Amino acid sequence: MNQTNSTFDLAELQGLLQSLLTPTALLGLGVFLACLGVSWLVVNLINRRVPHRTNSVLFGTHVVDGVLFPVLALVLAIIAKRFLPLVGVSPAVFKLAVPVLVSLVLIRLSVRVLGAAFPDSKMLKTLERTVSWLAWGGSILWVTGILPFVLKEFEDIRWKMGGSQMTLRNLVEGAFSAVIVLVVSLWISSLIEARLLRGGTMDLSLRKIAANATRAIFLFGGLLIALSSAGIDLTALGVLGGALGVGIGFGLQKLASNYVSGFVILAERSLRIGDMVKVDNFEGRISDINTRYTVIRALSGREAILPNEMLITQRVENMSLADPQVLLNTVVTVAYGTDLDSLFPKMIAAALSVERVLRIPEPAVQLSNFAADGLELTLYFWIADPQNGQGGPRSDVNMALLRLLNELNVEIPFPQRVIRQS
């Protein structure tokens, strides 16, 4: 068989099966097993020395289920297939092993990249099965020699698209190239996105917008390359872009507004991940900012998903934009005649005894009102961790004040009611 041919015809396949039973073919099998062993050893050594995530695309979870192992094994198998005939050893085993390794590389690359990019997708298992069936089916067609006949039949199926002729073979090959280009683009963008999100030199919001922009740029570039490889004239995208612009302008105004608002929020940093905010009477901590919506998690565990446009057009109370410190207060009423000059310092000391109350700024007490039943006193104090809740420190301060007033025998008056009988 000619070494340059990539597929077999039926006669060559029968000769290949007979050559697999020769003694030299067994030696070739040993060389193939050695290629697998060397690949496993090299990948295992790299896996131990190079820091990476447990679900890495290159190394996988158990070394052999990553992309690097079949790629290295494929390279060694191709080298062995070229040089074994020079030493009188039959490369029959490698004529079957190379298509199998190519299919394994495609499966590992697609499954690992899609799993890393969309870890929570419900369609992931279906995509994995589809890619596996297509890869193994193509490998079987390649080995059995049916692939050239299938491609020739696809070449004869033609139709006119605009001013050019399209064949089913061009469409299939273009779709295959498009999938490979998009998967590689998605992989590279995922690596850059993970590196940006792990970095500590920039603010988290800036890293988030950089990661989103990187993924969008790589996917758009991969889409253009994929369309070009499929034989589609890219000048037709001008008409498509105009139609898409009209659709966004009339039918997708809210969606486009939310996407633009998301990038504006991330760019100007008026709201950041981790800020305590209050929007539309919902108070909580910003846990995530996406391009279309923002997730706010309340201290009770409830989460609100707000469109980004709402954060741009409505009033938003940010408790930690410039300073995370928050001012709280509590009100207590004491009887008329109480010595307030001596009571105020003791109330401040009672508030400072609470762990979460800040020493600077210091708490303060004010005589806020001459009420009907007594003197109304307002105690102000600051905390620096509103994300941990505000009810806890207020309750602790109230308990400290109650103990203080009981120790000093300060009367907390009840409402006075007079009942008259006619």
Side-chain angles (χ1 to χ4, degrees), residues 266-396:
L266 291 171
E268 69 180 9
R269 300 171 61 189
S270 57
L271 297 174
R272 299 163 299 186
I273 296 176
D275 284 354
M276 286 292 298
V277 298
K278 184 177 181 180
V279 186
D280 195 21
N281 293 325
F282 188 89
E283 183 175 337
R285 175 179 174 273
I286 296 179
S287 59
D288 195 12
I289 301 177
N290 290 299
T291 52
R292 189 184 64 82
Y293 62 88
T294 296
V295 180
I296 301 178
R297 181 179 178 84
L299 298 177
S300 61
R302 294 180 300 125
E303 289 185 332
I305 300 176
L306 301 178
N308 288 327
E309 184 188 15
M310 180 181 294
L311 302 178
I312 294 292
T313 59
Q314 293 190 9
R315 173 184 172 182
V316 179
E317 297 181 19
N318 193 335
M319 297 179 230
S320 52
L321 176 60
D323 192 341
Q325 297 179 358
V326 174
L327 178 65
L328 303 179
N329 67 81
T330 186
V331 178
V332 62
T333 302
V334 298
Y336 282 100
T338 303
D339 186 3
L340 299 183
D341 292 332
S342 63
L343 180 60
F344 280 8
K346 295 176 181 178
M347 292 178 63
I348 293 175
L352 289 174
S353 64
V354 177
E355 181 180 359
R356 291 177 60 185
V357 174
L358 296 178
R359 274 59 181 166
I360 301 175
E362 188 180 36
V365 185
Q366 295 178 358
L367 175 58
S368 54
N369 191 19
F370 293 98
D373 303 316
L375 301 173
E376 188 176 278
L377 308 180
T378 303
L379 174 64
Y380 297 93
F381 57 94
W382 295 81
I383 62 173
D385 53 349
Q387 69 274 9
N388 295 327
Q390 303 176 18
R394 181 178 282 112
S395 175
D396 294 340

Side-chain angles (χ1 to χ4, degrees), residues 156-188:
D156 295 334
I157 302 176
R158 300 172 177 269
W159 65 89
K160 188 174 182 180
M161 181 177 292
S164 59
Q165 289 283 340
M166 291 290 296
T167 65
L168 184 58
R169 176 173 181 173
N170 292 337
L171 189 61
V172 171
E173 292 177 347
F176 178 77
S177 302
V179 170
I180 297 299
V181 170
L182 289 177
V183 168
V184 173
S185 301
L186 191 61
W187 180 23
I188 297 175

Side-chain angles (χ1 to χ4, degrees), residues 108-300:
R108 287 284 181 256
L109 179 62
S110 302
V111 170
R112 280 294 170 187
V113 171
L114 293 176
F118 310 105
D120 300 325
S121 176
K122 297 181 180 180
M123 296 293 294
L124 185 59
K125 292 295 182 182
T126 303
L127 290 174
E128 291 179 2
R129 296 190 188 99
T130 302
V131 171
S132 299
W133 280 103
L134 291 176
W136 291 124
S139 177
I140 293 173
L141 293 177
W142 182 3
V143 171
T144 56
I146 303 176
L147 185 60
F149 300 102
V150 174
L151 293 178
K152 187 177 183 305
E153 292 297 325
F154 285 174
E155 184 74 27
D156 295 334
I157 302 176
R158 300 172 177 269
W159 65 89
K160 188 174 182 180
M161 181 177 292
S164 59
Q165 289 283 340
M166 291 290 296
T167 65
L168 184 58
R169 176 173 181 173
N170 292 337
L171 189 61
V172 171
E173 292 177 347
F176 178 77
S177 302
V179 170
I180 297 299
V181 170
L182 289 177
V183 168
V184 173
S185 301
L186 191 61
W187 180 23
I188 297 175
S189 64
S190 299
L191 291 177
I192 298 176
E193 180 180 1
R195 180 64 60 88
L196 288 173
L197 293 179
R198 286 199 306 267
T201 58
M202 292 190 302
D203 181 79
L204 180 58
S205 297
L206 293 179
R207 299 202 302 269
K208 187 75 174 179
I209 189 174
N212 291 340
T214 300
R215 171 169 290 195
I217 291 173
F218 269 92
L219 289 180
F220 181 72
L223 179 62
L224 293 180
I225 297 175
L227 292 176
S228 178
S229 62
I232 298 176
D233 188 5
L234 296 183
T235 57
L237 294 180
V239 179
L240 178 62
L244 183 61
V246 173
I248 291 177
F250 288 98
L252 303 176
Q253 292 183 7
K254 290 293 184 181
L255 183 62
S257 176
N258 286 323
Y259 274 97
V260 174
S261 299
F263 281 101
V264 170
I265 291 172
L266 291 171
E268 69 180 9
R269 300 171 61 189
S270 57
L271 297 174
R272 299 163 299 186
I273 296 176
D275 284 354
M276 286 292 298
V277 298
K278 184 177 181 180
V279 186
D280 195 21
N281 293 325
F282 188 89
E283 183 175 337
R285 175 179 174 273
I286 296 179
S287 59
D288 195 12
I289 301 177
N290 290 299
T291 52
R292 189 184 64 82
Y293 62 88
T294 296
V295 180
I296 301 178
R297 181 179 178 84
L299 298 177
S300 61

Side-chain angles (χ1 to χ4, degrees), residues 2-36:
N2 189 354
Q3 295 292 329
T4 60
N5 292 339
S6 57
T7 58
F8 307 96
D9 56 28
L10 185 59
E12 290 173 332
L13 181 60
Q14 292 176 349
L16 175 63
L17 295 177
Q18 293 178 357
S19 63
L20 289 175
L21 303 177
T22 61
T24 56
L26 297 178
L27 182 58
L29 178 61
V31 174
F32 174 66
L33 295 178
C35 293
L36 296 180

